[in-house]
Amino acid sequence: MLKIKRRIAQNIFTTIKNANPNAETEVSEIEALLEYPPNADMGDLAFPCFKLSKMLRRSPVQIAAELAPTLNDAVIDRAEAVNGYLNIYISDKYLCENVIGEILEKGDRYGAPDIGHGKTVVLDYSSPNVAKPFHIGHLGTTVIGHSIKKLHEFAGYKCVGINYLGDWGTQFGKMIVAYKKWGNKTEIEEGGIDKLVELYVRINNEIKAEEEASDSKHSNLADMSREEFHKLELNDEENIALWKWFVEISLAEYQKTYSQLGITFDSYAGESFYTDKMPAQVEKLRQSGLMKIDDGASIVDLSQYGMPPCLILKRDGSTLYPTRDIAAAVYRKETYDFDKCIYVTSAGQSLHFAQWFKVVELMGYDWFDKLVHVPYGTVSINGAKLATRTGNVVLLKDLFAMAIEKVRAIMDEKNPNMPNKDETAEIVGVGAIIFYYLSNNRMKDINFMLEDALSFDGNTGPYVQYTYARTCSVLEKAGNTSTDGELKFTAPEEARLAKTLCRFEEKVRSAIAEYEPSIITRFILDIATDFNRFYHECAILTSPDPDVVATRLKLTLATKTVLGEAFELICMRKADKI
Ligand code: ARG
């Protein structure tokens, strides 16, 4: 629709200029005014004439009435002036000949905006904390992050996906103490990350118990943990070996989840990678006079900007989360020369990002405005809020396993002889979770209702997967049926579907501009609704007119192409048969 909009805008612009040579307006201004009317009776596009009224010194009603008869373009069927609006109806013939043709010609590049060429985007997402549970709170950063990466890649950006693993910090001191006290090598080798999490949960509980039992809130285990972490920082051989082992075990487990989602990363440079890169930034902060000592700790005062101070060093001189992020950003700028560096985390971390972004600015790095934080709301499951430290959490892998199992049961009942049932159940099950999660604006808090997400009716992942499979089966049934006929639309459902499909590029542009994958998810639903309406109302293969058959088959192929690409953009895998 972008092309159509541009053409109509040019047309309106020329008409206005011809009648009023002094009118100060631009084609882009006219294009930005074109809007989609709330319902189809009011046209496919509407041009409100109110803004022009002052400039042209005529009423909007007059302007619309003057413009209506002068808009002659093959794109337009007719234009009607109604209450100061110009309601524009796109020509079916144009849609049919051009939109379908363009989709089929461009294939999976259809809808790709050419905006990223020669630019690099770094994306920091997923980034679980090693040895802590990879739970459904991480679903957001993982799928929103990956979807934003896919969207940028589609638009031609070079993308670097970084999993900034939480692989450093005092929790490793705790893990080492817990392992030395209660751990068992074989058990961990066999049980993997679950056993590590058990140890982590146990030591946290025991520290809490010790603190509660002591008047001064003191815990020996906490002291020991700090000591072990300190040894780790000093490169103690045994502790380094244990730490590496914990990271390896955790990574192997994350990989399973990533492969179910079809996600790969370009770098796993986690927090530990930046240890030796922090001193230079701390020194720069010190020399610039930005760093102040406050109660023994080193901070950057941000009160002028309405924020609490950004903590750089603790009283004992150890570094903190913001210190590492600053060093990592400098390293990434030097290494990748990014045009944007995007961080996807829960909204709970918004202040952290605002603070250290400000520090980067104050340090004089002129690329500070290329740092982007993309926050998202909280997740609960079937009404229950998630706790982290207690072990009372829903793991991402368990959520996926549950979804896959339920989909598998539905398939066993509906279509017991289906080939590839395991793989299809995984695609549809995991896809259902992604789709449900990405159906809402990212800032909205989400309560995960598993039954709703997995339903085959309603606006769900299984429903859209089913629609995609339907396009595949129509095309498969068509076999070698000729599609050489003349393209022509004969039913309103066809044009309606084509009008939806051709909005793809605009949707992609908005999703990128707003860092909002749900724009694509909702677009997928629009396509599914329009395709299913078309499918029910229009005979495809049994139509007596070969031109109609050809048109409908091509429209089906165009739908499959756009739907398939849109699935990719929200990191949802697809199945040809369900
Ligand atoms: N590991 C952190 C967490 O789970 C998220 C890291 C986000 N990225 C960053 N550069 N701070 O909370």
Side-chain angles (χ1 to χ4, degrees):
M1 204 58 113
L2 263 183
K3 259 198 197 156
I4 297 178
K5 263 186 167 178
R6 232 159 253 165
R7 215 167 129 162
I8 293 176
Q10 178 66 51
N11 218 316
I12 296 178
F13 174 79
T14 313
T15 313
I16 293 173
K17 276 290 201 190
N18 284 344
N20 315 268
N22 299 327
E24 278 186 23
T25 183
E26 301 284 341
V27 182
S28 55
E29 201 179 346
I30 305 275
E31 190 186 325
L33 286 175
L34 281 169
E35 55 189 43
Y36 293 104
N39 65 57
D41 313 343
M42 300 159 97
D44 302 310
L45 285 170
F47 181 70
C49 300
F50 306 92
K51 277 225 169 120
L52 293 180
S53 173
K54 213 169 161 196
M55 184 178 28
L56 303 180
R57 285 181 228 278
R58 279 200 296 287
S59 77
V61 174
Q62 269 175 318
I63 299 172
E66 284 164 19
L67 280 174
T70 57
L71 278 188
N72 292 319
D73 190 315
V75 179
I76 297 170
D77 177 52
R78 63 188 198 282
E80 288 169 0
V82 182
N83 300 332
Y85 280 89
L86 192 61
N87 290 345
I88 302 163
Y89 298 78
I90 311 285
S91 134
D92 281 5
K93 189 166 158 39
Y94 177 87
L95 275 175
C96 189
E97 286 168 2
N98 292 273
V99 175
I100 297 183
E102 194 184 340
I103 297 175
L104 299 189
E105 184 195 314
K106 294 195 172 153
D108 61 7
R109 293 296 301 155
Y110 177 77
D114 187 16
I115 52 178
H117 191 73
K119 295 183 192 148
T120 299
V121 170
V122 169
L123 296 110
D124 173 317
Y125 65 102
S126 198
S127 313
N129 295 324
V130 171
K132 290 193 196 171
F134 192 22
H135 56 75
I136 72 161
H138 294 107
L139 184 63
T141 170
T142 307
V143 299
I144 295 173
H146 199 63
S147 172
I148 293 177
K149 181 181 180 202
K150 288 277 191 176
L151 283 159
H152 280 83
E153 270 171 354
F154 191 48
Y157 289 92
K158 178 175 181 294
C159 293
V160 185
I162 300 183
N163 195 330
Y164 182 66
L165 284 178
D167 61 357
W168 202 245
T170 43
Q171 80 259 32
F172 288 96
K174 288 185 188 169
M175 280 305 301
I176 292 168
V177 173
Y179 176 70
K180 286 184 180 168
K181 275 184 101 64
W182 312 300
N184 174 310
K185 189 157 191 260
T186 345
E187 229 178 74
I188 293 178
E189 269 164 1
E190 279 162 15
I193 198 168
D194 293 352
K195 291 284 157 202
L196 293 184
V197 171
E198 259 173 38
L199 287 176
Y200 184 71
V201 170
R202 177 161 177 194
I203 186 142
N204 275 308
N205 287 340
E206 301 221 4
I207 288 177
K208 208 165 139 206
E210 281 189 345
E211 285 172 349
E212 273 163 15
S214 129
D215 291 341
S216 54
K217 290 240 166 265
H218 180 258
S219 153
N220 278 331
L221 283 170
D223 283 350
M224 284 162 71
S225 302
R226 271 189 285 275
E227 219 164 279
E228 293 293 359
F229 180 59
H230 192 56
K231 271 165 68 187
L232 182 65
E233 287 190 299
L234 296 176
N235 267 327
D236 174 85
E237 214 176 296
E238 187 189 4
N239 282 8
I240 289 279
L242 279 176
W243 165 73
K244 278 199 179 142
W245 185 50
F246 296 152
V247 174
E248 232 170 70
I249 289 176
S250 307
L251 255 184
E253 188 77 24
Y254 303 150
Q255 294 291 4
K256 289 186 205 156
T257 304
Y258 293 141
S259 91
Q260 284 181 317
L261 289 164
I263 293 181
T264 53
F265 290 93
D266 305 293
S267 158
Y268 280 93
E271 295 192 30
S272 68
F273 179 77
Y274 298 98
T275 309
D276 61 354
K277 295 168 185 64
M278 283 183 282
Q281 300 312 315
V282 174
E283 196 42 42
K284 187 170 156 82
L285 275 166
R286 206 188 311 269
Q287 279 180 10
S288 66
L290 285 167
M291 207 156 76
K292 303 217 160 37
I293 305 294
D294 183 55
D295 198 17
S298 303
I299 60 152
V300 176
D301 179 35
L302 297 174
S303 52
Q304 231 184 310
Y305 310 99
M307 288 186 277
C310 182
L311 304 175
I312 305 293
L313 297 175
K314 284 197 219 162
R315 286 167 76 160
D316 63 6
S318 54
T319 54
L320 285 137
Y321 190 40
T323 330
R324 258 190 291 279
D325 260 326
I326 294 168
V330 174
Y331 174 85
R332 289 170 186 175
K333 183 66 197 166
E334 282 167 3
T335 310
Y336 304 111
D337 192 22
F338 55 72
D339 201 67
K340 277 193 277 190
C341 183
I342 300 169
Y343 300 82
V344 186
T345 78
S346 73
Q349 297 198 30
S350 294
L351 178 61
H352 160 74
F353 283 96
Q355 286 175 304
W356 76 260
F357 285 2
K358 187 46 112 184
V359 174
V360 167
E361 177 182 350
L362 296 174
M363 287 170 89
Y365 289 115
D366 60 1
W367 42 266
F368 70 91
D369 55 350
K370 297 186 188 303
L371 302 171
V372 183
H373 179 228
V374 177
Y376 58 85
T378 60
V379 183
S380 48
I381 184 151
N382 291 351
K385 274 259 179 311
L386 290 167
T388 27
R389 286 207 174 176
T390 56
N392 173 25
V393 296
V394 179
L395 300 180
L396 213 45
K397 64 172 181 180
D398 294 341
L399 180 68
F400 288 163
M402 247 179 319
I404 294 168
E405 196 185 311
K406 291 203 166 153
V407 168
R408 173 82 209 218
I410 298 174
M411 285 177 174
D412 280 339
E413 199 186 298
K414 279 197 172 174
N415 195 354
N417 302 322
M418 196 176 89
N420 272 341
K421 232 191 275 177
D422 285 336
E423 202 193 340
T424 310
E426 182 175 301
I427 294 175
V428 177
V430 173
I433 304 282
I434 296 174
F435 197 86
Y436 187 86
Y437 183 73
L438 293 180
S439 290
N440 293 298
N441 283 4
R442 61 180 156 77
M443 282 308 284
K444 200 172 165 226
D445 294 336
I446 290 177
N447 180 19
F448 229 97
M449 303 304 268
L450 203 51
E451 295 298 327
D452 293 353
L454 294 175
S455 159
F456 274 67
D457 313 308
N459 294 335
T460 63
Y463 162 69
V464 299
Q465 292 270 6
Y466 196 75
T467 307
Y468 178 80
R470 178 171 270 169
T471 64
C472 297
S473 86
V474 169
L475 294 168
E476 195 187 313
K477 262 195 220 136
N480 295 328
T481 309
S482 163
T483 51
D484 287 343
E486 182 207 341
L487 291 181
K488 60 177 188 196
F489 283 159
T490 44
E493 292 79 15
E494 298 164 319
R496 179 149 180 187
L497 173 58
K499 279 174 205 164
T500 300
L501 293 176
C502 74
R503 288 179 71 176
F504 191 28
E505 181 174 341
E506 274 168 277
K507 299 289 179 184
V508 172
R509 282 177 182 261
S510 318
I512 292 176
E514 294 167 37
Y515 303 101
E516 189 59 85
S518 66
I519 292 176
I520 303 297
T521 315
R522 282 194 287 266
F523 179 58
I524 290 175
L525 280 176
D526 291 344
I527 300 178
T529 310
D530 288 346
F531 178 77
N532 286 319
R533 197 175 286 136
F534 156 72
Y535 180 84
H536 288 298
E537 297 300 325
C538 305
I540 301 180
L541 288 165
T542 51
S543 168
D545 180 343
D547 290 346
V548 171
V549 175
T551 305
R552 291 181 178 171
L553 280 178
K554 283 191 169 169
L555 186 56
T556 304
L557 180 57
T559 306
K560 175 183 173 221
T561 306
V562 177
L563 260 189
E565 190 50 42
F567 281 18
E568 288 269 318
L569 295 178
I570 58 163
C571 56
M572 199 166 74
R573 288 154 67 208
K574 45 193 188 281
D576 290 359
K577 279 203 174 68
I578 294 184

